[in-house]
Amino acid sequence: MTMPMRTEGPVRTRREGGVLEVTLDRPKANAIDLATSRAMGLVFRDFRDDETLRVAILRAAGDKFFCPGWDLKAAAAGDAVDGDYGVGGFGGLQELPNLNKPVIAAVNGICCGGGLELALSCDLILASRNATFALPEIRSGTVADAASIKLPKRIPYHVAMDLLLTGRWFDAEEALRWGLLKEITEPGDLLAKAWDLARLLESGPPLVYAAIKEVVREAEGRGFLDTLHRITKRHFPTVDRLYASEDQLEGARAFAEKRDPVWKGR
């Protein structure tokens, strides 16, 4: 299948080659209501299922906000906090099964609450120098649920607990220092840097990416020896497909012949 492009609405898409750019555009702050979350889930589901797409970039329109998370105005108007977020859960990414392709977050401006959880659902995060982050749920008497699970696995435990328990703001430099970010850019360079990274990944082996993502995901709930056994015995579907693929043989041949491999995704 080839996914349809969205040129209007709160979730827009465009593609160049195997790269899909997804733009969250919901003025004034890019907050996510139920309808927007469902739309994002459909976009990332179609990205997952389109074999011609290799990498996605998630960005937001404007310079002031990446995403503050849940739309409280929509909630006050009747959107239930436990409503239907769509196929991928909140923001289309957090619960989308079998998404075995790289996703890059390009973060500008304010990224807090569910917006930070959305960025944490991506594989790599680039941020502009004006980006600021927080998990302020504690101040409104609620739990940053996804962040409470993910953050202590991404950065030192005591740093994660500081951010979760205080809800304080931190800047891009601190986020980089703790390892949340791959890189900081100037605001005007953010999208170009994200595309450079996406094109680099687009040129890589998609079956290997798929295996890496499945192994990393499954390893979170398994012990080391169990996970390693499942890899070596080809119990992971992506690993089994990789080891039986033309790409696996092509990689070995290209190394032996001292040339760049030509990845076909099969």
Side-chain angles (χ1 to χ4, degrees), residues 154-170:
R154 308 289 179 84
I155 63 176
Y157 172 84
H158 292 97
V159 177
M161 293 305 290
D162 170 32
L163 301 177
L164 288 164
L165 294 174
T166 67
R168 69 175 177 83
W169 288 88
F170 57 105

Side-chain angles (χ1 to χ4, degrees), residues 52-112:
T52 67
L53 288 169
R54 301 283 183 87
V55 186
I57 299 169
L58 175 61
R59 62 178 293 254
D63 298 323
K64 189 174 181 181
F65 290 95
F66 174 73
C67 178
W70 178 237
D71 186 342
L72 294 179
K73 290 183 179 179
D79 266 12
V81 69
D82 59 348
D84 178 12
Y85 289 103
V87 65
F90 181 79
L93 279 174
Q94 290 191 151
E95 300 173 50
L96 185 64
N98 302 318
L99 178 54
N100 292 328
K101 300 176 181 180
V103 181
I104 301 164
V107 176
N108 55 295
I110 293 172
C111 176
C112 65

Side-chain angles (χ1 to χ4, degrees), residues 14 19 21-23 30 56-67 104-111 119 124-133 172 181-199:
R14 73 180 182 98
V19 180
E21 180 184 285
V22 181
T23 302
N30 295 322
I57 299 169
L58 175 61
R59 62 178 293 254
D63 298 323
K64 189 174 181 181
F65 290 95
F66 174 73
C67 178
I104 301 164
V107 176
N108 55 295
I110 293 172
C111 176
L124 296 162
I125 307 175
L126 305 183
S128 65
R129 199 165 297 281
N130 72 335
T132 54
F133 306 87
L181 307 181
K182 179 187 185 300
E183 184 178 352
I184 297 174
T185 77
E186 296 304 321
D189 297 334
L190 175 62
L191 190 56
K193 289 283 190 179
W195 271 90
D196 286 345
L197 178 58
R199 291 189 180 101

Side-chain angles (χ1 to χ4, degrees), residues 45-256:
R45 180 203 64 186
D46 290 348
F47 163 70
R48 178 196 66 189
D49 296 342
D50 187 336
E51 293 188 357
T52 67
L53 288 169
R54 301 283 183 87
V55 186
I57 299 169
L58 175 61
R59 62 178 293 254
D63 298 323
K64 189 174 181 181
F65 290 95
F66 174 73
C67 178
W70 178 237
D71 186 342
L72 294 179
K73 290 183 179 179
D79 266 12
V81 69
D82 59 348
D84 178 12
Y85 289 103
V87 65
F90 181 79
L93 279 174
Q94 290 191 151
E95 300 173 50
L96 185 64
N98 302 318
L99 178 54
N100 292 328
K101 300 176 181 180
V103 181
I104 301 164
V107 176
N108 55 295
I110 293 172
C111 176
C112 65
L116 178 51
E117 292 177 333
L118 183 59
L120 289 171
S121 298
C122 299
D123 301 296
L124 296 162
I125 307 175
L126 305 183
S128 65
R129 199 165 297 281
N130 72 335
T132 54
F133 306 87
L135 293 164
E137 286 87 344
I138 187 76
R139 299 179 183 178
S140 58
T142 189
V143 175
D145 45 15
S148 296
I149 298 168
K150 292 180 178 180
L151 201 61
K153 298 178 180 180
R154 308 289 179 84
I155 63 176
Y157 172 84
H158 292 97
V159 177
M161 293 305 290
D162 170 32
L163 301 177
L164 288 164
L165 294 174
T166 67
R168 69 175 177 83
W169 288 88
F170 57 105
D171 61 16
E173 291 289 347
E174 183 175 357
L176 181 68
R177 186 163 71 248
W178 297 125
L180 280 178
L181 307 181
K182 179 187 185 300
E183 184 178 352
I184 297 174
T185 77
E186 296 304 321
D189 297 334
L190 175 62
L191 190 56
K193 289 283 190 179
W195 271 90
D196 286 345
L197 178 58
R199 291 189 180 101
L200 174 65
L201 295 177
E202 180 191 15
S203 69
L207 297 184
V208 178
Y209 292 158
I212 288 171
K213 288 202 64 172
E214 184 178 31
V215 168
V216 169
R217 187 171 59 244
E218 291 293 322
E220 286 192 343
R222 300 178 183 274
F224 172 78
L225 291 178
D226 179 36
T227 304
L228 187 60
H229 173 80
R230 289 175 63 84
I231 294 171
T232 57
K233 298 302 181 182
R234 294 168 60 161
H235 289 176
F236 292 119
T238 55
V239 174
D240 184 55
R241 184 185 179 198
L242 168 65
Y243 287 167
S245 69
E246 293 178 28
D247 274 6
Q248 200 277 331
L249 185 58
E250 166 65 7
R253 285 175 174 167
F255 178 81

